[in-house]
Amino acid sequence: MECGTTGEAQVHVEAVPDIVYGVVSDVTRMGEWSPETTKCEWLDGATGPAVGARFKGSNKRGPARWSTKPKVVVAEPGREFAFEVDTDVRWTYRFDAEGSGTKLTESFEMLRDIRWYYAFAERWVMGIKDRRADLERGMAETLQRVKQVVESESSH
């Protein structure tokens, strides 16, 4: 993928933006809904979402396993949560009031051309032919799981 490539997915969640933000921005729960990320933990004494906070993400796809250390770049409760993985990609979650709930949008933007070794691994180790379409499918799956979790937790 080239610098500037983007993709996104959306879902309506029947809960107010502040509640949805609270769940999504708790990166320690990412493994509950992501098809690739198995777990995340805050680093360097960080305990929650704040600009500059870093966390370690552990990922798995088929035989491939890797970890990243993203940095939070936006942490606006009820509005937006975003983090960057190195200088490669920015992941953003937007929370917009929609009726009695929230329109939750997840998106990614390539901040530079994909590094050749990632492209090689995606194609030949993970067997992914179209990474953008693959990421959009993954985001849609992630958002459906977030929706289920938030709606089941907020109905109690």
Side-chain angles (χ1 to χ4, degrees), residues 3-150:
C3 180
T5 300
T6 61
E8 74 171 38
Q10 295 181 335
V11 71
H12 176 84
V13 181
E14 206 46 60
V16 297
D18 281 339
I19 289 174
V20 183
Y21 175 92
V23 171
V24 171
S25 65
D26 179 359
V27 300
T28 63
R29 299 189 66 182
M30 190 90 61
E32 291 179 47
W33 38 76
S34 171
E36 273 186 8
T37 302
T38 55
K39 77 175 195 178
C40 290
E41 54 199 356
W42 292 108
L43 297 173
D44 309 321
T47 56
V51 173
R54 295 178 68 231
F55 60 94
K56 179 182 177 186
S58 300
N59 306 285
K60 182 178 142 205
R61 175 71 180 256
R65 285 172 168 62
W66 70 99
S67 67
T68 59
K69 290 186 177 170
K71 182 162 83 173
V72 175
V73 293
V74 180
E76 295 178 22
R79 300 197 48 185
E80 186 175 328
F81 176 65
F83 54 87
E84 292 181 0
V85 180
D86 298 322
T87 55
D88 296 331
V89 63
R90 174 187 283 226
W91 291 92
T92 302
Y93 295 86
R94 282 197 326 276
F95 311 84
D96 297 302
E98 184 176 70
S100 58
T102 301
K103 178 173 74 173
L104 172 59
T105 305
E106 180 182 7
S107 61
F108 73 88
E109 178 186 358
M110 294 301 295
L111 303 175
R112 58 177 287 164
D113 291 356
I114 190 167
R115 298 170 199 254
W116 72 267
Y117 43 90
Y118 290 144
F120 179 88
E122 287 170 359
R123 179 72 180 90
W124 301 105
V125 178
M126 296 186 259
I128 301 166
K129 291 180 178 69
D130 182 344
R131 183 63 167 158
R132 181 174 183 263
D134 181 69
L135 287 173
E136 288 188 322
R137 261 192 312 277
M139 289 187 295
E141 194 177 319
T142 295
L143 295 183
Q144 282 303 317
R145 290 176 181 169
V146 169
K147 174 183 172 70
Q148 290 168 349
V149 167
V150 171

